Amino acid sequence: MSLTPGLFSEIVTAALAGPLVVAGLAKLLAAPAALQWPIGGGPLRAPHGPRLVGAAECAVVAVAVAAPGRAAALLVMITYAGLAAVAHVLRGQRCACFGLARLASVSRAHVGANALAAVCALAAVTFAAPQGHAGLRATVAVVTALATFGVLRLTDSRRSGVTEEGAACTEQITAVHLYLGDTCPSCRSLKELLAAMEPARREAVSSTVLTREDNLPDMMAGLGVPCAVGLNAAGDPVCRPVDGIGPVKALVDSIVLGVPAAVADAR
């Protein structure tokens, strides 16, 4: 079988559909309360937002496999263009793009990857045949979905190892410094949790609020807001930094109270 423009369009459309089904199923199968969902208002807010978005991604894949060639490619292009726009808005935050997988926070790389996918889908629209081959698209979509899942598991396993290593830290933590986003729903939820703690523990916590234009310190590379680092009695960072509401709260809970600490900006 020669690689005609129409066949190229079919393969590109199906290859781009594969990651969408993995992302959609990951959101549908995860408990909404366990996801770090960045949308705090409107119909897509938690707990229903992750399920709605996951269902929409799976629906896009189903239509992209079954629809006529040009319509399928057009739908995939619109989807990735929309994801690029959302990634741009959510830069620096955790997005639960692939459910519970512990991946890097949304960055320019995510925006660029989705934009590139939209451009590839646009090329597929240009060369698409009127009807297309649903069977071929389904096969390629399954292959790319499995490949995406494999890469996701490998990446998540590596981050899991980092998290476990950080959790094994035996240094005494007397204070914690937080990094929060000025438009981060998870950060607002974390503030509410911290506000309910005893005064002595709250006083041992300092924070830096970042705008979208600000960057996290080098030691927090790859993390998203909210994130935090433990400090020793001299005010120096100790152990590995953590991110996410649960890990940050656990770090604050580990503060040893009653020890004089120099709570300083760790930037």
Side-chain angles (χ1 to χ4, degrees):
M1 182 183 295
S2 59
L3 185 61
T4 63
L7 183 60
F8 164 80
S9 174
E10 297 288 288
I11 293 174
V12 170
T13 299
L16 294 174
L20 292 177
V21 72
V22 177
L25 289 176
K27 296 185 187 72
L28 287 173
L29 297 177
L35 295 176
Q36 195 163 335
W37 193 244
I39 302 174
L44 295 182
R45 67 183 182 276
H48 304 298
R51 295 275 171 84
L52 290 174
V53 173
E57 288 171 328
C58 290
V60 166
V61 174
V63 175
V65 168
R70 185 165 287 114
L74 182 61
L75 177 61
V76 171
M77 183 198 74
I78 293 172
T79 299
Y80 274 102
L83 290 175
V86 171
H88 177 75
V89 171
L90 297 179
R91 287 193 317 277
Q93 298 186 42
R94 291 289 186 189
C95 185
C97 301
F98 289 96
L100 297 174
R102 292 176 290 276
L103 302 179
S105 59
V106 180
S107 65
R108 289 193 183 97
H110 294 82
V111 178
N114 284 309
L116 178 60
V119 171
C120 292
L122 176 60
V125 173
T126 304
F127 296 111
Q131 295 302 318
H133 306 281
L136 173 63
R137 263 183 266 150
T139 300
V140 174
V142 168
V143 170
T144 54
L146 291 175
T148 300
F149 180 73
V151 171
L152 186 64
R153 287 296 300 270
L154 177 62
T155 307
D156 189 33
S157 295
R158 287 175 176 174
R159 282 192 55 80
S160 295
V162 170
T163 302
E164 290 165 4
E165 184 180 344
C169 175
T170 58
E171 293 276 353
Q172 187 179 71
I173 295 173
T174 60
V176 166
H177 190 83
L178 305 179
Y179 292 90
L180 308 170
D182 59 350
T183 60
C184 165
S186 296
C187 299
R188 291 194 292 271
S189 299
L190 177 62
K191 287 180 180 178
E192 293 175 1
L193 290 174
L194 297 181
M197 293 182 172
E198 64 267 41
R201 195 169 299 277
R202 291 201 308 268
E203 290 172 4
V205 177
S206 59
S207 63
T208 296
V209 178
L210 305 173
T211 67
R212 282 190 192 143
E213 289 70 33
D214 294 329
N215 295 318
L216 285 166
D218 291 341
M219 66 176 173
M220 317 294 276
L223 303 182
V225 291
C227 57
V229 62
L231 308 177
N232 61 19
D236 298 322
V238 293
C239 305
R240 289 183 178 272
V242 298
D243 67 343
I245 295 176
V248 169
K249 184 179 181 298
L251 182 63
V252 174
D253 287 337
S254 73
I255 294 174
V256 178
L257 298 177
V259 178
V263 181
D265 190 332
R267 292 184 71 178

